[in-house]
Amino acid sequence: ISDSQLDDIIHSKEIAVGGLQAVVVNIEVIRGREEEFIAYTLQNCQQSIKESGIHRFDFMREQINGCFTNRFKLVEMYNNPAGPQKHKQTPHYTAWASQVGGLMQKPRESEWFQS
């Protein structure tokens, strides 16, 4: 995806009255499997940001004292409260969930926020 296409996607998002629905997903990956997890997650992120119901989709890795850990966060911003459920029905999400399920140290945990 080109920078101009990404810019068009970002600026075409419509935000529902009442604000954004945010989901922060906390993930701990089995040590030594981080690169595999990152590859699968970047594929999911690249497809997710194209969804009309997604306003923003960030993927972050924890860093302590300059060293990366095995903990990650997804910060998913949806245009409305129905966005997360619609996202979970997409082929790229179901593929991602299947690919990374065995790479996690423990089940992922989600926190939900409304802006």
Side-chain angles (χ1 to χ4, degrees), residues 3-115:
D3 288 343
S4 65
Q5 289 171 317
L6 183 58
D7 193 51
D8 289 343
I9 290 169
I10 290 169
H11 293 295
S12 69
K13 303 294 184 178
E14 292 183 24
I15 300 172
V17 174
L20 298 171
Q21 177 74 50
V23 181
V24 178
V25 184
N26 300 297
I27 303 165
E28 188 171 343
V29 175
I30 297 169
R31 291 186 192 280
R33 307 292 302 270
E34 295 93 346
E35 295 306 316
E36 188 177 357
F37 174 79
I38 290 168
Y40 288 132
T41 303
L42 287 175
Q43 290 173 359
N44 179 54
C45 292
Q46 290 167 346
Q47 295 304 309
S48 296
I49 195 63
K50 296 176 186 177
E51 294 175 43
S52 63
I54 291 183
H55 181 74
R56 186 176 176 132
F57 206 92
D58 294 333
F59 175 47
M60 295 171 268
R61 185 174 188 180
E62 183 181 64
Q63 188 176 20
I64 298 175
N65 297 324
C67 298
F68 287 115
T69 74
N70 63 327
R71 292 184 291 228
F72 298 84
K73 286 196 187 295
L74 288 167
V75 181
E76 307 168 6
M77 300 292 292
Y78 297 90
N79 295 327
N80 59 62
Q85 187 59 37
K86 288 182 180 179
H87 170 63
K88 288 184 177 182
Q89 296 171 355
T90 62
H92 56 270
Y93 172 84
T94 56
W96 174 81
S98 173
Q99 293 163 332
V100 301
L103 303 177
M104 295 183 191
Q105 184 72 35
K106 61 182 184 176
R108 60 191 179 270
E109 299 172 350
S110 299
E111 301 171 278
W112 294 66
F113 303 90
Q114 182 78 34
S115 70

